[in-house]
Amino acid sequence: MSPGQSAWARATLALTLLANDPTRLRGMVIRARSGPVRDVFVEAIVKHLGPVRKLHPAMSRDALLGGLDFAQTLATGQLTRSSGLLDGGGTVLLSMAERCPPDMAALIAARMDADPALTLVLLDEGAEADETAPPALKERVAFHVSLDGIGRLEARPMPAQRRNPSVEATASSSRKTDPAITDLTKLAARLGIDTLRPPQFALATARQHGALNGRATPKEDDIRVATELVLAPRATQLPMPEEPEPSAPEEQSDPNPNTQSETLPDDMLIDAVKAVLPEGMLDTMAAGAAPRAKGSGAGQKKRGNRRGRPIPSRPGRLDGTSRLDLVATLRAAAPWQTLRGKSETGPIRVYPSDIHLKRFEEKSDRLIIFAVDASGSAALTRLGEAKGAVELLLARAYASRDHVALIAFRGEDAQLLLPPTRSLVQTKRRLAALPGGGGTPLAHGLKAATELAERAQAQGLSPMLAVLTDGRANIALDGGANRERARDDARTMARWIAALGMPSFVLDLGTRPQPDLAKLAAEMRGTYLPLPRATAERMSDTLGTAMDHGLGA
Amino acid sequence: MTTAFPFSAIVGQDDMKRAMILTAIDPKLGGVLVFGDRGTGKSTAVRALAALLPEITAVKGCPVNSEHPKEVPDWAGIETKETVSRATPVVDLPLGVTEDRVTGALDIERALTRGEKAFQPGLLAQANRGYLYIDEVNLLEDHIVDLLLDVAQSGENVVEREGLSIRHPARFVLVGSGNPEEGELRPQLLDRFGLSVEVRSPDDIEERIEVIKRRDAFETNPRNFLRRFRPKDKEIRDRILQARENLAGIETKKPVLKDCAQLCVTLGADGLRGELTLLRAGRALAAYQGDTALSRDHLRAVAPIALSHRLRRDPLDEAGSATRVARTVDEVLG
């Protein structure tokens, strides 16, 4: 089977299992761009999981959880509630799940916990690795399926599989000392899966797969399937091949000899994991930098403009995106009641012109991007102090509840050490681990910062940039060590930053002020802060004041 | 609503369980904050606690669960003097909740149909004399947080809006849970929680396996599972009730008070709430363990959960505050 075919087979198997045990498996994440392959799969979902209610990330709370039905209420004069899309169980499909804001995710998660009959399908269209569905939701569904790399012709429509009526019975008849529990829990731990929901999902998957194949207790094959479908996509590390088995003696003293024979050689399962992991993933793991699902908490994707203070309401039209200010509406309607012929006991007559809408004043959050020069020349001079200054600024950012992001550039490229977050602890850790040495790819650093700023702006944050460098750019964008070109590239990036119109600061770490850096700052339309022989405190104070000043307007 | 997982069946997480039992013994402790990774049983524990709590007596139909008929607010319009026994209210405060829903607001139905200005009580009223549970408390919107702070402080909910002027008691135990990676909690709100616990996934494989086994047994046959753990749950409930009675009789000698103060001074905890909570938590623990006097051992046991979130936050301190507390406890108490 080609890789595409086997990926499709896995995806359809996951769907079959889900359709047979939705209350335990709870749902799936489908990571794929929209396209014919996904369409075929979504069709299959509708066929297998029954009628599907669609959600999108911009839905209001009322639509999700139900609320007042204003039109009906006003028309009949009786309080009418509309039911929410999350009510009443069944399958809901959240499209563009990667754009789902954390508060909506938390709402859906709470509904999932309260209502076992609710099945959730997430369509994750994230283009980049850090764009994913909210972890709180991914955590709560069994299967993570990727449809990438599946050709249109490989995506065959699934045959509608009848539910096997005897399945439910067999699935719940086994139990007690199920060796699969031990196997799957251990394996999850070895794959670096911290939370305890995945092993439960894996267990349910193994049992369901067994039941579909007429087995009362899950066998080798079922456990392999569970590993592939549930555990592998969540793995954050590959276990060491020669790991000493601390629990081995206990297993030998197991009173039930049957368990021993059922226990799988772990290596086989690990191979199963390897087989389904995308190749790039193995590389990052090998490099010791496993992408930790934990690290990219939903907080960083927090949309700005989510807090609002109410301001006086205005007459307007209900268009589905705004909220009715009922009291203001009634107040507007009140003086006209006699004219409109309201009888003593009849309902209040409200005309569309009375409708007042609630308004909120919104303010977006600030994101401070630190681009820190960690090159050899800077390291020699003042990397330590720069780190200290960044730490002090972080403390300040914490106090004003700003988001921060950290980019380091050294050697031949720039690295996003910390995506935008409010978690100070993480920032501290990453910063402490920042190594120094290598060339000064200033242009790379600026480019990474600008890209990040653009993304942040799209999410509604107001970015600002603080560049800490000694200014001796010597690596050009194409990676060549050429001072001339390096400087030109840095200039180009600077103009891009100016075009974005975000406030920026260039902090000169050199022992004496660099005219080049002053020019660069001017090109960015930012502030140049030369700091010869400064301590961390002074740097932080100067930059801090400049920042507050720059944003005070 | 599904059946709650039994409290006594929760594997490990002793700090969290202890903190919850302590607030059940002494509601004045001011609630629990549970911070930790996903899938560590935070919400499970809160729901389990709800099922474990003893019942309260309340006036029938009273929106704020008043104990005596004379405490029933006028606006409720309740004539009956009959009291009923009901489960301790555990009210969920969902994210994205509106201010109206929290504080209560104009009763829209009555306003529309009868043109009357009437008050419809909100979640704060429902939670009076019980628990208010906020999941993902760190994602709560700021204006709701402000509102909660105010009410938690005064024990009274005051509504002055839309032509209404209403006040009613709102004394509740705040229970919050959240994942610190998704955002931090404002220090003001942090301080309002009496106890704070950090939970993490168990590292021990056997413990993990036991968690999965129990969860599986619960899901397969909840009735059997509940029956299995009912005696243990009852034992805890009885001990809580017993401890509530003993609480007043716990002796607090002067040297222990001094220890308390010394601990807080050394740690540099802001305000006096730290000492008070430490003392209360210590006494509750003493009562739970059936002791008659507060001792250093009790203080040592509760100091991390009572103080770790009150330290002046040093954003640049790498070590967690729990370690700092433990260190200081060792220094001060020897």
Side-chain angles (χ1 to χ4, degrees):
Chain A
M1 246 198 299
S2 73
Q5 276 170 333
S6 55
W8 181 255
R10 267 200 305 278
T12 48
L13 177 58
L15 181 56
T16 312
L17 291 169
L18 178 62
N20 276 298
D21 192 3
T23 51
R24 281 208 184 78
L25 297 172
R26 305 310 308 272
M28 64 198 312
V29 185
I30 298 152
R31 194 168 165 88
R33 308 301 293 274
S34 73
V37 176
R38 199 184 79 174
D39 291 347
V40 174
F41 199 73
V42 170
E43 253 169 51
I45 288 174
V46 175
K47 199 151 69 181
H48 279 72
L49 297 176
V52 166
R53 277 163 290 161
K54 283 193 179 160
L55 311 181
H56 63 81
M59 250 171 188
S60 72
R61 200 185 151 271
D62 280 358
L64 288 178
L65 300 182
L68 266 189
D69 186 336
F70 287 114
Q72 195 68 17
T73 304
L74 289 177
T76 59
Q78 280 194 340
L79 193 67
T80 317
R81 291 197 171 277
S82 57
S83 70
L85 287 168
L86 294 177
D87 289 342
T91 308
V92 291
L93 189 133
L94 175 63
S95 53
M96 289 176 281
E98 78 285 355
R99 297 182 59 82
C100 177
D103 48 346
M104 179 176 175
L107 276 179
I108 300 178
R111 285 301 304 168
M112 295 264 305
D113 289 351
D115 182 4
L118 188 66
T119 309
L120 177 68
V121 178
L122 299 165
L123 294 182
D124 179 350
E125 295 172 23
E128 283 165 56
D130 63 340
E131 254 185 324
T132 64
L137 294 182
K138 282 172 78 177
E139 160 89 17
R140 282 176 170 78
V141 298
F143 303 117
H144 295 189
V145 168
S146 167
L147 300 182
D148 285 344
I150 299 178
R152 171 65 188 89
L153 292 177
E154 289 165 330
R156 295 169 187 284
M158 285 168 64
Q161 196 164 355
R162 282 281 138 74
R163 272 183 203 214
N164 186 344
S166 65
V167 159
E168 212 56 47
T170 40
S172 56
S173 68
S174 54
R175 295 319 134 89
K176 212 75 201 171
T177 49
D178 196 337
I181 296 182
T182 321
D183 282 342
L184 289 169
T185 315
K186 275 188 187 161
L187 190 66
R190 289 185 62 193
L191 288 171
I193 301 170
D194 256 359
T195 74
L196 286 168
R197 281 195 190 97
Q200 296 177 37
F201 286 136
L203 184 64
T205 308
R207 287 194 179 142
Q208 193 55 51
H209 190 259
L212 281 179
N213 292 294
R215 288 187 283 265
T217 40
K219 292 280 185 310
E220 215 178 284
D221 197 31
D222 308 322
I223 293 183
R224 190 183 48 76
V225 166
T227 311
E228 275 184 20
L229 292 179
V230 181
L231 298 182
R234 290 173 154 99
T236 61
Q237 66 181 48
L238 271 187
M240 298 294 126
E242 310 277 316
E243 194 183 292
E245 276 290 335
S247 53
E250 282 170 44
E251 270 177 44
Q252 272 152 18
S253 64
D254 198 315
N256 185 356
N258 281 344
T259 34
Q260 192 60 49
S261 61
E262 297 274 345
T263 309
L264 286 178
D266 276 357
D267 289 340
M268 223 189 89
L269 291 177
I270 304 294
D271 285 342
V273 173
K274 277 187 188 155
V276 286
L277 283 179
E279 275 176 35
M281 173 110 177
L282 276 179
D283 293 343
T284 45
M285 281 185 196
R292 291 169 67 85
K294 287 169 67 179
S296 55
Q300 62 176 305
K301 287 224 184 94
K302 232 173 208 180
R303 206 77 52 78
N305 305 331
R306 78 203 122 79
R307 281 180 281 180
R309 298 207 156 271
I311 50 175
S313 46
R314 276 269 185 81
R317 193 177 283 249
L318 282 174
D319 57 358
T321 59
S322 44
R323 288 173 56 199
L324 180 77
D325 187 336
L326 194 60
V327 175
T329 305
L330 289 178
R331 205 173 278 147
W336 304 98
Q337 293 308 308
T338 338
L339 274 179
R340 288 174 189 170
K342 177 189 181 296
S343 63
E344 194 68 26
T345 52
I348 296 176
R349 311 208 163 190
V350 177
Y351 287 9
S353 58
D354 298 332
I355 301 237
H356 276 61
L357 300 179
K358 280 186 179 161
R359 291 191 307 154
F360 296 95
E361 192 176 58
E362 295 168 331
K363 222 169 150 186
S364 74
D365 285 2
R366 185 158 85 158
L367 165 69
I368 306 175
I369 303 170
F370 291 101
V372 181
D373 182 355
S375 67
S377 56
L380 274 181
T381 48
R382 310 249 289 279
L383 184 58
E385 271 148 22
K387 277 190 193 180
V390 173
E391 284 194 0
L392 290 170
L393 283 166
L394 284 176
R396 202 185 275 244
Y398 171 74
S400 51
R401 302 190 65 67
D402 291 332
H403 298 243
V404 290
L406 185 64
I407 289 169
F409 50 99
R410 59 183 281 261
E412 279 167 15
D413 60 356
Q415 234 187 331
L416 177 62
L417 283 185
L418 185 79
T421 177
R422 265 187 188 162
S423 168
L424 209 60
V425 184
Q426 277 195 58
T427 322
K428 273 275 306 165
R429 268 185 217 141
R430 305 275 174 100
L431 192 64
L434 170 63
T440 309
L442 183 56
H444 285 94
L446 295 180
K447 183 162 173 251
T450 318
E451 282 166 355
L452 181 64
E454 281 193 325
R455 245 181 308 170
Q457 256 173 359
Q459 286 170 3
L461 298 166
S462 338
M464 61 183 298
L465 174 64
V467 186
L468 288 81
T469 177
D470 65 352
R472 299 199 188 99
N474 55 12
I475 306 287
L477 267 185
D478 58 9
N482 181 329
R483 273 178 193 281
E484 273 312 297
R485 275 221 317 277
R487 205 167 54 205
D488 288 347
D489 284 349
R491 288 260 168 84
T492 319
M493 295 324 301
R495 279 195 292 274
W496 186 10
I497 292 171
L500 275 183
M502 70 173 153
S504 56
F505 302 91
V506 178
L507 203 66
D508 191 343
L509 299 182
T511 35
R512 71 185 92 79
Q514 307 270 323
D516 261 3
L517 272 185
K519 264 189 235 160
L520 190 75
E523 211 125 20
M524 280 188 207
R525 288 199 214 126
T527 317
Y528 172 65
L529 301 165
L531 280 175
R533 250 163 283 154
T535 58
E537 282 80 21
R538 248 202 77 201
M539 272 192 215
S540 133
D541 280 350
T542 316
L543 189 51
T545 325
M547 263 162 46
D548 291 342
H549 201 70
L551 287 159
Chain B
M1 201 60 209
T2 44
T3 338
F5 192 77
F7 191 77
S8 53
I10 296 170
V11 183
Q13 314 293 17
D14 294 324
D15 267 355
M16 175 168 73
K17 284 194 280 189
R18 175 184 287 160
M20 293 201 175
I21 289 174
L22 293 185
T23 73
I25 293 173
D26 186 358
K28 289 203 198 81
L29 260 175
V32 190
L33 175 68
V34 187
F35 247 25
D37 302 337
R38 270 175 219 106
T40 42
K42 292 177 302 239
S43 331
T44 310
V46 177
R47 312 252 172 249
L49 182 74
L52 184 75
L53 288 168
E55 298 194 323
I56 60 167
T57 340
V59 174
K60 195 175 177 186
C62 176
V64 296
N65 315 313
S66 308
E67 193 173 0
H68 303 294
K70 63 174 191 294
E71 292 164 2
V72 176
D74 304 337
W75 51 261
I78 287 175
E79 305 295 329
T80 176
K81 298 210 183 308
E82 197 186 334
T83 56
V84 287
S85 183
R86 51 161 300 180
T88 304
V90 176
V91 176
D92 267 293
L93 191 130
L95 282 182
V97 69
T98 58
E99 213 174 310
D100 297 8
R101 187 84 190 90
V102 179
T103 58
L106 189 71
D107 187 330
I108 296 168
E109 186 170 16
R110 275 165 77 179
L112 275 178
T113 52
R114 287 187 255 161
E116 284 173 15
K117 220 164 32 174
F119 178 64
Q120 184 174 38
L123 296 175
L124 291 175
Q126 278 177 38
N128 189 33
R129 299 183 63 210
Y131 285 69
L132 188 69
Y133 173 52
I134 315 168
D135 196 7
E136 310 281 0
V137 59
N138 44 345
L139 296 182
L140 203 62
E141 286 182 67
D142 280 359
H143 66 274
I144 303 279
V145 172
D146 293 342
L147 207 143
L148 283 178
L149 284 180
D150 186 43
V151 176
Q153 165 105 338
S154 59
E156 188 173 47
N157 178 29
V158 181
V159 183
E160 293 283 359
R161 53 194 294 188
E162 291 159 6
L164 291 166
S165 176
I166 297 279
R167 55 183 59 212
H168 67 77
R171 276 181 290 275
F172 48 83
V173 176
L174 209 53
V175 180
S177 66
N179 183 344
E181 305 234 350
E182 290 180 355
E184 311 214 16
L185 200 60
R186 273 167 60 186
Q188 293 91 326
L189 185 58
L190 204 55
D191 187 52
R192 236 29 127 216
F193 287 97
L195 307 175
S196 115
V197 202
E198 259 177 54
V199 291
R200 41 180 58 242
S201 310
D203 294 330
D204 183 43
I205 292 280
E206 294 304 318
E207 204 176 315
R208 292 179 79 109
I209 292 175
E210 188 56 34
V211 173
I212 306 286
K213 273 190 183 154
R214 287 197 187 174
R215 192 78 222 179
D216 179 47
F218 175 66
E219 270 164 20
T220 315
N221 193 340
R223 203 176 297 164
N224 261 352
F225 192 76
L226 288 177
R227 199 178 306 136
R228 199 170 121 207
F229 282 94
R230 194 169 296 141
K232 283 190 192 158
D233 261 12
K234 185 172 180 308
E235 193 192 315
I236 298 181
R237 183 185 304 132
D238 291 346
R239 276 181 77 183
I240 290 178
L241 286 174
Q242 185 65 41
R244 278 187 184 170
E245 277 172 30
N246 295 351
L247 191 60
I250 301 285
E251 235 184 310
T252 313
K253 298 220 174 71
K254 218 168 173 191
V256 182
L257 279 178
K258 209 175 154 192
D259 282 341
C260 258
Q262 184 65 46
L263 252 178
C264 294
V265 170
T266 317
L267 277 169
D270 289 338
L272 287 172
R273 206 173 269 140
E275 271 104 323
L276 286 173
T277 312
L278 184 61
L279 204 62
R280 283 217 173 102
R283 289 162 58 100
L285 183 66
Y288 187 64
Q289 291 178 344
D291 296 330
T292 51
L294 179 64
S295 74
R296 279 192 162 187
D297 288 335
H298 299 131
L299 288 190
R300 192 171 291 137
V302 296
I305 55 175
L307 296 178
S308 61
H309 57 299
R310 289 174 207 284
L311 306 186
R312 174 149 312 159
R313 191 179 155 95
D314 179 359
L316 306 179
D317 186 7
E318 191 72 47
S321 12
T323 4
R324 260 166 79 197
V325 174
R327 214 160 47 205
T328 319
V329 168
D330 283 346
E331 270 169 36
V332 175
L333 302 183

